[in-house]
Amino acid sequence: MRFRSAAFPLFAVVSWGVMFPVLASALTRVDALNLTTARYLLATAVLLALLLAREGRAALRVRRRATEVVLLGVLGFAGFNVLTNLALGHATPQQIALFASGTPLVTQLVRWARDGVRPRPALLGLSLVALLGVGLVITRGRLDGLDQFGVGALLMVGAVLGWAVYTHGASRFTEWSPLRYTALTSVAGLLAMLAVSAVADVTGLQHLPAAADLVAVAPQLAYAVVVAAVLAVLAWNTGVRRLGVADAALFMNLVPVTTFAVQILRGYRPGAVELVGAALTIAALVAANLATRTRKAPTAAAAVAVTDRAAVIEPVAVVAR
């Protein structure tokens, strides 16, 4: 049962690892903000259609949780995706993926701040080791590469923090199905993306893509919508529900492995320093999460929340219906 549950976050992180090179190629034709908005305009429509078909119009009501849904949607969908796409203009996909793999560590800190679940002291030391590994990859071991820590790094720090808060937030909606949580938070994120893109277009910071540009990136957009935005996010939130926040976040360590593999298949040849840095980062992140995973047995109520099949949405089953 636990192995099957692990398949959900595994599918999600592999999908996202492939996504970074895919989006990087699309950004040559469409601006980052417009690409993100177009992606989630389509993805949100799909998610809402699935939610209405499966749970009915009553599932659209947020009642007293509107503020929390809006905040999590803006941070998780708009924050992570917009900042990541902008960062891809300043760094390579494999560098971005390494920053994304820091989500497990940040998630632990978010749990500490919001729930009082204090991480073990080893976390801080291992965090520094992971940061050193990221530094080796970005600078390739040369001090004159330190200037590459600029805008792209700052954007990814914000993106990772937003996704960590969103992941933690999923654990606070145990009465909602993963499909409902995903769909309603995506609506909030989409509205924020539309507002930011409109301002950027009007002020000239970016330009509306021509129809030819959208056609040119249609394959990338199709992957980013169907696989990386709909199926992967549904799978991720299902994994969080079944495994818990800390254990599910651990799978983010596989994002850079996937991205590096894709880039190597595309002809990229990493240097020895990059490989050492990537290995160091992944090893530190895995060790940090293993050191801080919750070992307490779940309460009876929590166990019901995790294993109640009526409360869990199987992403593949949803699409097949």
Side-chain angles (χ1 to χ4, degrees):
M1 178 64 182
R2 190 169 181 81
F3 175 79
R4 184 182 177 188
S5 298
F8 291 103
L10 178 62
F11 169 80
V13 298
V14 170
S15 300
W16 293 331
V18 174
M19 177 187 69
F20 292 124
V22 169
L23 289 179
S25 66
L27 288 171
T28 60
R29 298 293 297 265
V30 181
D31 291 319
L33 293 177
N34 282 325
L35 180 65
T36 307
T37 302
R39 176 188 172 199
Y40 272 96
L41 184 63
L42 297 172
T44 301
V46 173
L47 289 167
L48 286 176
L50 291 173
L51 181 62
L52 287 170
R54 188 175 181 95
E55 301 184 29
R57 297 178 62 181
L60 298 177
R61 301 193 188 100
V62 295
R63 296 183 175 87
R64 298 180 179 179
R65 310 199 71 172
T67 300
E68 192 173 5
V69 168
V70 170
L71 178 61
L72 290 170
V74 170
L75 289 175
F77 282 98
F80 178 79
N81 290 286
V82 169
L83 293 176
T84 296
N85 279 1
L86 290 173
L88 282 167
H90 300 274
T92 64
Q94 55 269 31
Q95 292 169 349
I96 296 301
L98 274 174
F99 272 100
S101 69
T103 302
L105 293 176
V106 180
T107 301
Q108 295 288 345
L109 297 177
V110 170
R111 291 181 72 212
W112 186 11
R114 298 202 64 182
D115 298 338
V117 180
R118 185 172 184 174
R120 297 186 178 185
L123 175 63
L124 296 180
L126 290 169
S127 298
L128 294 177
V129 174
L131 181 61
L132 174 62
V134 172
L136 288 175
V137 173
I138 292 178
T139 65
R140 298 181 182 179
R142 298 178 55 176
L143 292 178
D144 57 1
L146 286 173
D147 57 351
Q148 297 185 47
F149 272 102
V151 177
L154 291 176
L155 290 170
M156 281 310 299
V157 168
V160 168
L161 179 59
W163 190 253
V165 173
Y166 178 80
T167 297
H168 177 270
S171 67
R172 301 168 71 90
F173 284 75
T174 56
E175 73 278 14
W176 287 16
S177 69
L179 174 60
R180 186 181 181 188
Y181 177 74
T182 305
L184 295 185
T185 52
S186 73
V187 171
L190 173 62
L191 293 176
M193 293 178 209
L194 286 170
V196 172
S197 291
V199 171
D201 288 332
V202 170
T203 58
L205 294 176
Q206 65 175 19
H207 305 284
L208 282 172
D213 292 324
L214 292 176
V215 171
V217 300
Q220 296 98 312
L221 199 56
Y223 177 87
V225 170
V226 177
V227 179
V230 176
L231 291 178
V233 178
L234 276 174
W236 179 256
N237 288 332
T238 301
V240 171
R241 174 68 59 86
R242 291 189 170 194
L243 298 175
V245 175
D247 288 358
L250 175 62
F251 284 83
M252 288 295 289
N253 295 315
L254 298 176
V255 170
V257 176
T258 304
T259 302
F260 266 85
V262 171
Q263 291 296 83
I264 289 172
L265 289 174
R266 297 178 65 193
Y268 177 75
R269 294 295 177 263
V273 173
E274 288 179 273
L275 292 175
V276 170
L280 192 63
T281 298
I282 294 168
L285 293 170
V286 171
N289 278 270
L290 291 176
T292 55
R293 286 168 65 178
T294 303
R295 289 177 170 81
K296 294 182 179 180
T299 63
V304 171
V306 171
T307 59
D308 179 10
R309 297 193 60 79
V312 176
I313 299 298
E314 304 278 357
V316 176
V318 168
V319 175
R321 293 191 174 194

